[in-house]
């Protein structure tokens, strides 16, 4: 399928966001096509997370428009909950529900939001736990799991809603080094299966391997974007070169 | 007006130690060995004193202890009724205080500030007689409503603090899964907040139990009022109030213990 005929899953147009007087997003425009994997990199405070969080309206924007699967999500008439059902989000701090078992973490939104029966939700949850490799922990509580396991539960919990797009906000930044791999492996599997993904990360190996496109942000703006080859061999901006030299 | 706008969590400044002493009974914990022993001495000591008084001085103590149990039952009904109503009021007040809608949070905050600024006894009189002008309710019902309105404000603050103590990411995760605000609150935030707010609510319960003695001035025949009636008839003021104080003490200590047991079980179940 030719790329330009693909459906646009995310369409951001001139998005502006202030935190007080600080301009967190400065006229950002970005399209993400169906099945595309976009990795966003950049120094801290550059607006990467804010950009990601605005895609499911965890941040309200002060200007511009954002469409998710063709729906203008900042239109007051739009039911944002409906949009969010289709957009999975994985957080740096996992945010698994500590008062629920792993299984209940995965079934809760399926039952409450998707109105699935308990049996159906459990079956789907079990399948996803197998996929992320923690079937034996389904009755455990999150505090009995390692960070890597918790993050995989969080990914499975999002996937249980059958999202059309997955957003990852520095999913491995809070993990001990030895657990990063297991989470990245799950994400790579997802990528291979064709999931549309937008990933904010500092894992350059992952970016190089998985990304269709890498976006470099600085001071709330997209400074440069291109394929991993372009980025890691021959970035055009001085700021990008400097950042890469610091991080690699 | 006192600062109504959002108060930040006090945990944020690690340099300054925070002490919190409620006006409820000190709830004994296992680790606190001194207090644990003090509880035993106080509880079993007062039970022993009651038994001794009845055995060695049946007149008037046997008559007093025969006369006041009706009042214990009334005290119990007032306490349980008020705490239930106060919990409901408190839940909505706490949610209201956190509402993004200015009018709702304004009303909730105003309620809390006004109630906390007026002595409980004055409020009781005020609400009791204000209610009496509108509807004719039995004294007990009015007293329960008045106590609940007073304590609802404090409960509201407990609920607010409990909800705010849950990390922001929990709400974000729930909302990201497509839950609306109420679903996220009911399924994710409140179940976690309950564990945080249970100890202070236990404290409030014991405090309310003691404060319920104030309703005796509203023609409600609670423990204290029964004692007053008995004393006025027999002129045994010292003996009667000794008995009344002992009964309050035993009940209060009993519930403190019960609540601390409950807490232990909850924290054990995580």
């Amino acid at each position: 399928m030719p790329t330009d005929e693909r459906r646009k899953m995310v369409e951001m147009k001139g998005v502006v966001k202030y935190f007080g007087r600080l301009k967190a997003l400065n006229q950002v425009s970005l399209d993400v096509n169906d099945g595309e994997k976009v990795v966003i990199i950049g120094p801290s405070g550059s607006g990467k997370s804010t950009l990601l969080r605005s895609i499911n309206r965890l941040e309200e924007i002060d200007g511009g428009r954002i469409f998710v699967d063709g729906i203008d999500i900042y239109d007051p008439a739009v039911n944002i909950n409906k949009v969010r059902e289709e957009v999975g989000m994985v957080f740096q701090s996992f945010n698994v529900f500590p008062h629920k078992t792993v299984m209940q973490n995965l079934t809760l939104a399926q039952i409450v939001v998707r109105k699935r029966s308990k049996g159906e939700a459990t079956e789907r949850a079990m399948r996803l736990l197998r996929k992320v490799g923690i079937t034996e922990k389904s009755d455990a509580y999150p505090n009995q799991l390692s960070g890597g396991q918790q993050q995989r539960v969080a990914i499975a919990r999002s996937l249980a809603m059958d999202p059309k797009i997955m957003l990852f906000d520095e999913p491995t930044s809070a993990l001990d080094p030895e657990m990063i791999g297991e989470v990245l492996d799950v994400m790579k599997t997802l990528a291979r299966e064709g999931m549309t993904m937008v990933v904010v990360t500092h894992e350059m190996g992952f970016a190089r391997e998985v990304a269709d496109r890498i976006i470099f942000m600085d001071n709330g703006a997209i400074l440069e974007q291109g394929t991993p080859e372009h980025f890691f061999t021959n970035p055009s901006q001085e700021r990008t070169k400097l950042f890469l030299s610091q991080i690699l | 007006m006192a600062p109504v706008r959002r108060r930040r969590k006090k945990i944020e400044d690690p340099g300054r130690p925070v002490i919190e002493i409620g006006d409820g009974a000190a709830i004994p914990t296992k680790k606190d060995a001194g207090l644990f022993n003090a509880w035993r001495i106080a509880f079993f000591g007062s039970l022993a004193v009651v038994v001794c008084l009845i055995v060695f001085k049946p007149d008037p103590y046997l008559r007093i202890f025969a006369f006041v149990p009706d009042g214990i039952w009334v005290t119990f009904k007032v306490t349980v009724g008020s705490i239930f109503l106060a919990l409901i009021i408190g839940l909505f007040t706490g949610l209201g205080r956190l509402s993004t809608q200015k009018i709702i949070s304004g009303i909730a905050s105003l309620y809390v500030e006004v109630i906390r600024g007026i002595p409980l006894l004055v409020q009781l009189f005020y609400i009791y007689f204000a209610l009496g002008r509108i509807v004719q309710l039995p004294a007990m019902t009015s007293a329960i409503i008045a106590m609940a309105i007073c304590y609802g404000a404090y409960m509201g603050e407990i609920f607010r603090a409990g909800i705010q103590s849950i990390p922001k990411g929990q709400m974000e995760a729930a909302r990201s899964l497509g839950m609306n605000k109420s679903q996220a609150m009911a399924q994710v935030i409140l179940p976690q907040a309950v564990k945080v707010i249970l100890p202070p609510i236990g404290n409030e319960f014991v405090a309310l139990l003691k404060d319920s003695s104030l309703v005796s001035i509203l023609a409600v025949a609670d423990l204290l009022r029964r004692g007053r009636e008995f004393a006025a008839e027999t002129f045994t003021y010292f003996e009667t109030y000794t008995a009344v104080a002992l009964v309050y003490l035993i009940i209060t200590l009993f519930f403190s213990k019960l609540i601390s047991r409950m807490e232990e079980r909850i924290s054990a179940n995580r």
Side-chain angles (χ1 to χ4, degrees):
Chain A
M1 190 161 48
T3 348
D4 45 352
E5 275 179 28
R6 277 182 177 178
R7 193 154 56 131
K8 279 180 188 166
M9 288 304 295
V10 179
E11 206 177 345
M12 305 178 81
K13 289 180 177 172
V15 174
V16 178
K17 165 77 185 174
Y18 286 95
F19 286 120
R21 292 180 60 195
L22 178 83
K23 212 169 196 176
L25 293 178
N26 188 2
Q27 296 287 342
V28 173
S29 296
L30 169 69
D31 291 347
V32 180
N33 292 321
D34 190 17
E36 196 179 12
K37 292 101 187 85
V38 175
V39 171
I40 305 174
I41 61 174
S44 58
S46 58
K48 317 179 290 281
S49 286
T50 310
L51 182 145
L52 195 75
R53 289 160 58 84
S54 68
I55 297 176
N56 72 350
R57 214 170 134 181
L58 283 180
E59 304 286 354
E60 297 289 334
I61 58 173
D62 299 306
R65 301 176 84 176
I66 300 177
F67 298 85
V68 171
D69 202 12
I71 300 164
D72 181 353
I73 63 166
Y74 286 86
D75 178 350
V78 164
N79 179 356
I80 188 64
N81 299 321
K82 283 276 163 225
V83 177
R84 285 179 178 147
E85 287 176 30
E86 315 295 334
V87 182
M89 176 104 184
V90 176
F91 299 86
Q92 180 178 350
S93 50
F94 324 141
N95 297 342
V96 286
F97 304 138
H99 62 301
K100 304 265 185 204
T101 64
V102 167
M103 180 52 79
Q104 290 165 341
N105 262 278
L106 266 67
T107 55
L108 178 64
Q110 292 191 65
I111 294 167
V112 173
V113 178
R114 287 269 194 231
K115 309 288 178 207
R116 288 178 188 148
S117 72
K118 197 174 172 215
E120 194 188 349
T122 309
E123 194 183 316
R124 191 174 307 239
M126 217 48 214
R127 209 166 62 222
L128 286 163
L129 284 178
R130 212 170 297 135
K131 181 170 184 165
V132 300
I134 24 185
T135 35
E136 74 284 7
K137 297 278 187 184
S138 68
D139 292 324
Y141 281 88
N143 65 355
Q144 297 166 297
L145 304 182
S146 72
Q149 289 171 326
Q150 289 190 42
Q151 191 61 297
R152 286 184 281 152
V153 169
I155 294 173
R157 177 178 69 177
S158 281
L159 292 175
M161 299 297 285
D162 299 321
K164 293 178 187 155
I165 167 168
M166 286 285 287
L167 310 174
F168 294 85
D169 189 2
E170 301 200 28
T172 57
S173 297
L175 292 175
D176 291 335
E178 72 270 21
M179 294 169 185
I180 291 175
E182 64 195 53
V183 171
L184 291 182
D185 284 344
V186 169
M187 292 168 65
K188 284 174 195 165
T189 310
L190 266 184
R192 272 198 301 276
E193 290 170 358
M195 174 65 77
T196 311
M197 294 163 71
V198 183
V199 184
V200 172
T201 187
H202 295 294
E203 293 296 325
M204 292 303 139
F206 174 83
R208 191 189 290 245
E209 186 181 334
V210 173
D212 295 317
R213 183 156 46 117
I214 296 179
I215 288 173
F216 178 70
M217 283 188 77
D218 194 25
N219 284 325
I222 294 177
L223 218 61
E224 185 168 1
Q225 51 181 311
T227 61
E229 292 77 46
H230 162 84
F231 249 87
F232 292 110
T233 55
N234 175 27
S236 53
Q237 299 283 327
E238 280 308 313
R239 188 71 191 80
T240 317
K241 283 179 197 164
L242 180 66
F243 176 75
L244 288 174
S245 73
Q246 283 163 343
I247 202 165
L248 287 178
Chain B
M1 195 161 65
V4 171
R5 286 311 309 164
R6 60 162 57 173
R7 283 169 205 158
R8 276 270 146 238
K9 289 171 281 176
K10 24 181 163 169
I11 316 153
E12 270 169 355
D13 181 5
R16 191 169 10 121
V18 176
I19 58 164
E20 217 165 284
I21 298 170
D23 57 350
I27 289 179
T29 59
K30 276 247 168 67
K31 279 179 206 150
D32 207 342
L35 208 55
F36 188 65
N37 287 331
W39 182 89
R40 286 192 154 177
I41 293 165
F43 185 72
F44 292 109
S46 41
L47 276 179
V49 169
V50 167
V51 171
C52 287
L53 287 175
I54 291 173
V55 171
F56 296 113
K57 216 161 173 294
D59 184 46
Y61 284 107
L62 187 58
R63 278 161 59 210
I64 299 171
F65 284 115
F67 188 78
V68 293
D70 287 358
I72 298 176
W73 178 233
V74 171
T75 291
F76 184 71
K77 278 199 282 191
V78 169
T79 305
V80 171
S82 320
I83 203 97
F84 262 109
L85 266 183
L87 279 172
I88 295 166
I89 296 174
L91 173 60
F92 284 103
T93 307
L95 290 171
R97 292 261 290 157
L98 296 169
S99 171
T100 45
Q101 279 175 314
K102 289 235 166 67
I103 299 171
I104 294 175
S105 73
I107 292 172
S109 304
L110 190 66
Y111 162 64
V112 170
E113 294 297 340
V114 167
I115 292 291
R116 293 208 299 191
I118 302 173
L120 181 55
L121 187 55
V122 177
Q123 286 177 52
L124 272 179
F125 271 123
Y126 188 85
I127 297 168
Y128 182 77
F129 290 110
L131 272 176
R133 288 196 146 195
I134 310 163
V135 277
Q136 215 48 56
L137 290 171
M140 171 111 109
T141 315
S142 309
I144 288 176
I145 292 172
M147 290 288 288
I149 291 175
C150 303
Y151 266 81
Y154 295 91
M155 291 289 185
E157 285 302 273
I158 293 174
F159 272 99
R160 179 191 59 78
I163 292 167
Q164 279 185 327
S165 75
I166 306 303
K168 220 173 83 226
Q170 291 289 312
M171 178 56 99
E172 289 183 351
R175 299 300 305 273
S176 296
L177 290 166
M179 290 186 218
N180 61 34
K181 252 188 196 166
S182 349
Q183 288 168 336
M185 196 47 92
Q187 302 284 344
V188 176
I189 306 299
L190 283 178
Q192 294 182 61
V194 163
K195 283 165 196 171
V196 181
I197 65 183
L198 213 77
I201 282 182
N203 269 324
E204 289 297 298
F205 177 81
V206 174
L208 194 149
L209 181 83
K210 290 185 294 177
D211 280 346
S212 75
S213 61
L214 292 170
V215 303
S216 63
I217 55 155
L218 302 179
V220 177
D222 75 330
L223 176 54
L224 178 58
R225 189 174 179 97
R226 289 289 282 178
R228 270 167 68 193
E229 285 169 7
F230 187 87
E233 271 172 34
T234 59
F235 300 104
T236 52
Y237 287 99
F238 172 73
E239 291 82 353
T240 310
Y241 287 124
T242 303
V244 167
L246 281 169
V247 174
Y248 271 116
L249 183 60
I250 290 168
I251 298 174
T252 308
L253 288 170
F254 172 77
F255 277 109
S256 307
K257 191 69 182 172
L258 195 73
I259 288 160
S260 73
R261 280 274 162 81
M262 258 167 52
E263 265 166 40
E264 267 168 34
R265 284 184 58 178
I266 282 179
S267 57
N269 291 336
R270 177 193 31 230

